[in-house]
């Protein structure tokens, strides 16, 4: 500590190193009365992670180099220069290693006590955190037989404190599989047209390429979406509305809607089908005239295009702005001849908002962007909720009532649905003008998550339309709420049912993402026991988890990479990992 004090700014030394120095003096020795001090010292080292030893000990001439590559290079350089204790020197640059050493010392000083159980569990929890930092750290875990060490600590914990929460619910042992054969650059950014960023926009921190869409993780070539011929027929509907009789138009729309639904494969397809379903409903209204058809169909088609739908063929030079569409709606509403379809025209305003995405400023500030607030693209769900509620009051008997109730429920759910954004976090010990950052994830939501408020809106829809047009979407929302509230059984049931529902393949992508995030919660000790119980009671969940675990050995970013053996043992799975640390 004396040498460190010479090299550290006074403020930094006082905040961290001075505290460690004081605690170290209090913890020196092996007497039982020192155990409390040892445990506190372990906590202090864990709290200091990344703040003391990373800079300057791991400072780099080129900050673009990763810590991973830096450690491997230093090891190779040290070996070439015949330095002694190279790995010990490099390993001790992770504060968690010091924390684990003191926690284990505390456990040995007072065995069989609540303090010992907590300390051994904390030491166990450091092992995957240390290994995940870099390929070098993971390689050292294999070389030092850390799997055997983790099992030894785990068994000692269960032997000394068999009734403790740490032994019965929190603790796990870890395995460290061989490094992937090819360089692991993380995950694919585009899987079947589904972007990595969409997982974050939808509120999920983890995205796994492949997911559970098929047995081999590859998209089904037979699920290519709505055929081009159908889309071309959709594109000319406004022109057909000019000369077709309402009965002919109704027949045309019904054929198109049926053909499109048979090929539903994505959210983009669902937008087209929603448009066609609306026209099917409109065409089935009594006393629809050719004038009503000519007035409504072009407006509704323009709402479809404003949502981002790309018509097949060349771009339409006559495309108009959303403000122009609203003006056309207002003009039609002023005509007494169109009062029978006023509810359809007014609902089109909500349709416009459903397609619009604007930049929304959050309360999260990004240091790497000079402290500017982070923005996300979002629909105006607050205004959509208001418009839907007003519509229901004004048109209580409209056949668009179901759609309005769904928009209301979706808006309430979306207002508290998180957006996961990435910001820069300055690396402790670096000067502000160096602008050196780690990347951290932050969660933003427009309003606080209130499960009761969201469920009330979903319940209102289900009560009125128990087998409604949007029942699958409502189930999707319920699945996310169950995941967010850690109701693991419901989350698994709803998500797997969504994944297996071939009539709503547009919702498969989110079901796949959510199932990955549910399984990823096994990495967190506080959820592991309850989630394992829920999985164990569901054979389909076990089957999906087994497939998910089978991919863990080939990716260092896999959330369950170090839990393969533990989960395999707990769920009675066949061997799913070949561990290079095993003899």
């Amino acid at each position: 500590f004396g040498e460190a004090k010479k090299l550290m700014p006074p403020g930094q030394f006082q905040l961290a190193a001075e505290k460690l120095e004081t605690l170290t003096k209090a913890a020196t020795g092996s007497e039982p009365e020192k155990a409390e001090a040892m445990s506190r010292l372990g906590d202090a080292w864990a709290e200091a992670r990344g703040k003391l030893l990373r800079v300057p000990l791991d400072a780099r001439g080129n900050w673009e180099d990763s810590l991973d590559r830096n450690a491997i290079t230093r090891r190779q350089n040290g070996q070439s220069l015949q330095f002694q204790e190279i790995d010990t020197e490099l390993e001790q640059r992770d504060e968690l290693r010091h924390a684990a050493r003191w926690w284990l010392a505390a456990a040995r000083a007072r065995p069989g006590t609540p303090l010992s159980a907590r300390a051994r569990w904390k030491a166990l929890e450091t092992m995957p955190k240390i290994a995940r930092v870099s390929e070098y750290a993971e390689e050292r875990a294999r070389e030092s037989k850390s799997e055997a060490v983790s099992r030894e600590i785990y068994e000692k914990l269960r032997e000394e404190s068999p009734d403790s929460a740490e032994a019965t619910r929190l603790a796990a042992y870890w395995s460290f599989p061989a490094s992937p054969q090819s360089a692991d650059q993380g995950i694919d950014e585009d899987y079947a047209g589904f972007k990595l960023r969409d997982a974050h926009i939808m509120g999920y921190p983890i995205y796994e390429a492949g997911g559970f869409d098929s047995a081999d993780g590859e998209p089904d070539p037979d699920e290519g979406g709505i055929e081009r011929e159908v889309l071309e027929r959709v594109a000319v509907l406004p022109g057909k509305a000019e000369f077709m009789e309402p009965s002919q138009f109704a027949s045309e729309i019904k054929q198109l809607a049926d053909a499109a639904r048979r090929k539903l494969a994505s959210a983009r397809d669902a937008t087209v089908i929603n448009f066609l379903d609306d026209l099917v409903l409109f065409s089935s209204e009594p006393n629809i005239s050719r004038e009503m058809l000519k007035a409504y169909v072009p407006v509704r088609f323009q709402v479809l295009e404003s949502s981002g739908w790309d018509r097949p063929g060349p771009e339409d030079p006559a495309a108009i702005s959303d403000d122009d569409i609203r003006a056309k709606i207002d003009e039609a509403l002023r005509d007494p001849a169109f009062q029978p379809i006023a509810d359809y025209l007014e609902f089109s305003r909500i349709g416009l908002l459903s397609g619009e995405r604007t930049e929304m400023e959050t309360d999260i500030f990004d240091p790497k962007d000079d402290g500017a607030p982070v923005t996300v693209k979002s629909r105006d769900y607050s205004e959509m909720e208001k418009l839907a509620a007003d519509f229901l009051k004004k048109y209580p008997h409209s056949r668009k009532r179901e759609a309005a109730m769904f928009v209301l429920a979706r808006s309430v759910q979306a207002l508290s649905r998180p957006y996961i954004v990435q910001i820069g976090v300055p690396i402790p010990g670096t000067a502000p003008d160096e602008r050196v950052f780690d990347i951290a994830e932050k969660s933003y939501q427009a309003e606080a998550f209130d499960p009761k408020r969201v469920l009330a809106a979903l319940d209102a829809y289900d009560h009125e339309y128990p087998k409604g047009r949007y029942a699958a979407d409502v189930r999707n929302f319920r699945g996310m709420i169950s995941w967010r509230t850690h109701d693991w059984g419901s989350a698994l049931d709803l998500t797997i049912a969504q994944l297996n529902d071939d009539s709503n393949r547009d919702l498969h992508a989110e079901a796949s993402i959510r199932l990955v995030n549910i399984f990823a919660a096994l990495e967190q000790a506080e959820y592991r026991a309850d989630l394992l119980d829920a999985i164990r009671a569901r054979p389909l969940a076990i089957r999906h988890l087994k497939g998910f675990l089978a991919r863990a050995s080939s990716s260092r970013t896999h959330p369950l990479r170090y839990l393969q053996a533990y989960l395999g043992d707990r769920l009675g799975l066949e061997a799913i990992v070949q561990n290079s640390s095993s003899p």
Side-chain angles (χ1 to χ4, degrees):
F1 289 105
E3 291 301 311
K5 191 171 185 177
K6 299 175 185 177
L7 301 173
M8 297 173 67
Q12 186 183 9
F13 185 85
Q14 291 168 1
L15 285 174
E18 191 172 57
K19 178 182 178 181
L20 287 170
E21 183 180 26
T22 302
L23 289 172
T24 300
K25 291 176 181 177
T28 301
S30 59
E31 302 85 352
E33 61 269 18
K34 298 283 188 179
E36 292 281 357
M38 294 174 184
S39 180
R40 288 196 298 271
L41 180 53
D43 294 343
W45 270 111
E47 183 182 350
R49 192 184 196 196
K51 300 175 183 177
L52 288 178
L53 305 181
R54 186 175 181 185
V55 177
L57 293 183
D58 272 335
R60 304 183 291 281
N62 178 6
W63 283 100
E64 296 301 319
D65 284 346
S66 67
L67 285 174
D68 182 7
R69 182 174 179 178
N70 184 252
I72 292 173
T73 302
R74 288 187 172 189
R75 183 192 209 189
Q76 293 170 343
N77 290 344
Q79 291 169 340
S80 298
L81 295 169
Q82 299 183 349
F83 287 172
Q84 302 299 312
E85 305 293 338
I86 300 168
D87 288 319
T88 300
E89 165 71 21
L90 291 174
E91 287 175 345
Q92 290 187 356
R93 297 180 182 190
D94 190 329
E95 292 88 349
L96 274 186
R97 291 188 183 275
H98 300 275
R101 185 173 73 247
W102 285 109
W103 282 327
L104 289 176
R108 288 190 292 268
R110 198 177 292 174
T113 63
L115 181 146
S116 171
R118 194 71 178 172
R120 287 194 189 279
W121 171 68
K122 287 181 178 179
L124 267 176
E125 288 294 296
T126 66
M127 300 181 77
K129 295 176 182 177
I130 291 170
R132 197 174 289 282
V133 166
S134 67
E135 188 175 344
Y136 167 78
E138 187 180 280
E139 179 61 26
R140 284 298 298 149
R142 288 188 287 269
E143 292 174 351
S144 59
K145 308 298 182 185
S146 290
E147 178 179 355
V149 173
S150 76
R151 286 179 182 261
E152 180 182 340
I153 298 173
Y154 177 83
E155 293 301 335
K156 192 71 172 177
L157 168 60
R158 289 168 60 86
E159 175 189 334
E160 288 186 351
S161 308
D163 299 325
S164 66
E166 289 80 7
T168 58
R169 293 184 58 81
L170 299 177
Y173 48 84
W174 311 98
S175 52
F176 301 93
S179 181
Q181 294 297 315
S182 58
D184 181 9
Q185 300 299 326
I187 59 179
D188 295 336
E189 291 193 0
D190 191 347
Y191 167 72
F194 193 66
K195 301 291 185 181
L196 168 61
R197 63 181 180 84
D198 289 341
H200 292 169
I201 288 174
M202 290 194 300
Y204 300 103
I206 297 174
Y207 179 73
E208 163 70 6
F212 304 96
D213 281 345
S214 63
D216 59 2
E218 294 296 328
D220 187 341
D222 294 330
E223 297 185 358
I226 300 174
E227 294 171 343
R228 182 178 178 85
E229 178 188 354
V230 174
L231 296 176
E232 289 173 345
R233 289 172 64 188
V234 169
V236 297
L237 284 175
K240 288 187 174 183
E242 292 285 334
F243 63 86
M244 292 183 78
E245 290 296 328
S247 59
Q248 293 177 303
F249 189 83
S251 178
E252 170 78 1
I253 285 295
K254 183 66 167 61
Q255 291 177 11
L256 282 176
D258 291 344
R261 185 165 291 283
R262 286 196 295 269
K263 290 294 185 177
L264 171 63
S266 68
R268 183 176 300 175
D269 291 341
T271 301
V272 177
I273 291 170
N274 190 52
F275 162 73
L276 293 172
D277 284 352
D278 177 70
L279 292 186
V280 168
L281 191 67
F282 177 82
S283 299
S284 67
E285 291 283 0
N287 304 319
I288 291 294
S289 66
R290 289 188 62 181
E291 288 70 24
M292 292 176 185
L293 203 65
K294 289 164 62 176
Y296 181 67
V297 174
V299 166
R300 186 61 183 84
F301 184 80
Q302 287 160 356
V303 171
L304 170 66
E305 289 194 304
S306 77
S307 70
W309 181 66
D310 296 324
R311 67 163 68 202
E315 184 177 345
D316 180 14
I320 63 176
S321 68
D322 287 356
D323 287 340
D324 290 336
I325 298 172
R326 290 187 178 94
K328 292 184 70 172
I329 293 172
D330 292 339
E331 180 183 356
L333 285 169
R334 287 192 292 268
D335 190 332
F338 299 142
Q339 284 308 298
I341 61 169
D343 52 342
Y344 285 88
L345 290 166
E346 289 213 39
F347 194 82
S348 295
R349 299 181 193 275
I350 302 176
L352 280 173
L353 281 179
S354 296
E356 286 181 346
R357 284 183 174 85
T358 58
E359 291 287 341
M360 179 172 63
E361 190 173 284
T362 72
D363 57 2
I364 299 172
F365 300 91
D366 190 352
K368 68 178 170 49
D369 193 19
D370 297 322
V374 176
T375 61
V376 295
K377 283 191 174 182
S378 173
R379 299 176 176 93
D380 189 347
Y381 288 110
S382 181
E383 182 65 13
M384 287 172 64
E385 179 188 4
K386 178 181 180 301
L387 287 180
D390 291 345
F391 181 93
L392 290 167
K393 290 178 182 178
K394 188 171 182 179
Y395 301 102
H397 305 297
S398 170
R399 295 179 71 183
K400 293 295 293 182
R401 177 178 178 81
E402 180 183 0
M405 290 195 69
F406 171 69
V407 169
L408 181 64
R410 183 182 70 169
S411 300
V412 170
Q413 191 269 349
L415 280 168
S416 61
R417 188 172 184 139
Y419 295 83
I420 310 299
V421 299
Q422 295 181 330
I423 65 169
V425 179
I427 293 179
T430 61
D433 59 355
E434 289 184 283
R435 296 186 58 77
V436 181
F437 304 97
D438 281 329
I439 300 299
E441 288 186 350
K442 295 286 186 179
S443 176
Y444 171 79
Q445 51 207 46
E447 72 176 33
F449 177 47
D450 180 357
K452 291 182 179 179
R453 165 167 150 78
V454 181
L455 287 172
L458 300 179
D459 289 344
Y461 174 87
D462 279 341
H463 176 75
E464 196 159 338
Y465 301 98
K467 295 182 179 180
R469 159 74 171 77
Y470 305 100
D473 297 270
V474 170
R475 178 184 60 196
N476 176 35
F477 298 152
R478 290 187 185 278
M480 187 181 202
I481 294 168
S482 296
W483 167 65
R484 294 183 72 183
T485 57
H486 312 136
D487 181 358
W488 302 118
S490 294
L492 286 167
D493 289 339
L494 292 165
T495 303
I496 292 174
Q498 180 178 331
L499 193 63
N500 293 339
D501 182 1
D502 285 337
S503 63
N504 291 277
R505 293 195 301 273
D506 56 310
L507 300 177
H508 282 191
E510 182 163 355
S512 178
I513 295 295
R514 185 162 61 246
L515 194 54
V516 166
N517 281 267
I518 291 171
F519 288 155
L522 288 165
E523 188 181 28
Q524 302 181 56
E526 63 268 34
Y527 304 138
R528 191 177 299 133
D530 291 336
L531 180 49
L532 266 176
D533 287 343
I535 293 171
R536 191 178 289 112
R538 293 163 173 81
L540 275 178
I542 294 176
R543 190 181 76 184
H544 282 303
L545 177 60
K546 184 177 180 180
F548 185 50
L549 284 171
R551 297 197 292 276
S553 294
S554 61
S555 171
R556 289 201 62 252
T557 63
H558 197 289
L560 303 183
R561 178 169 175 80
Y562 306 126
L563 272 173
Q564 295 173 79
Y566 176 84
L567 294 176
D569 291 344
R570 289 297 171 274
L571 294 172
L573 304 178
E574 297 177 3
I576 52 176
V577 57
Q578 292 183 349
N579 194 330
S580 67
S581 67
S582 300

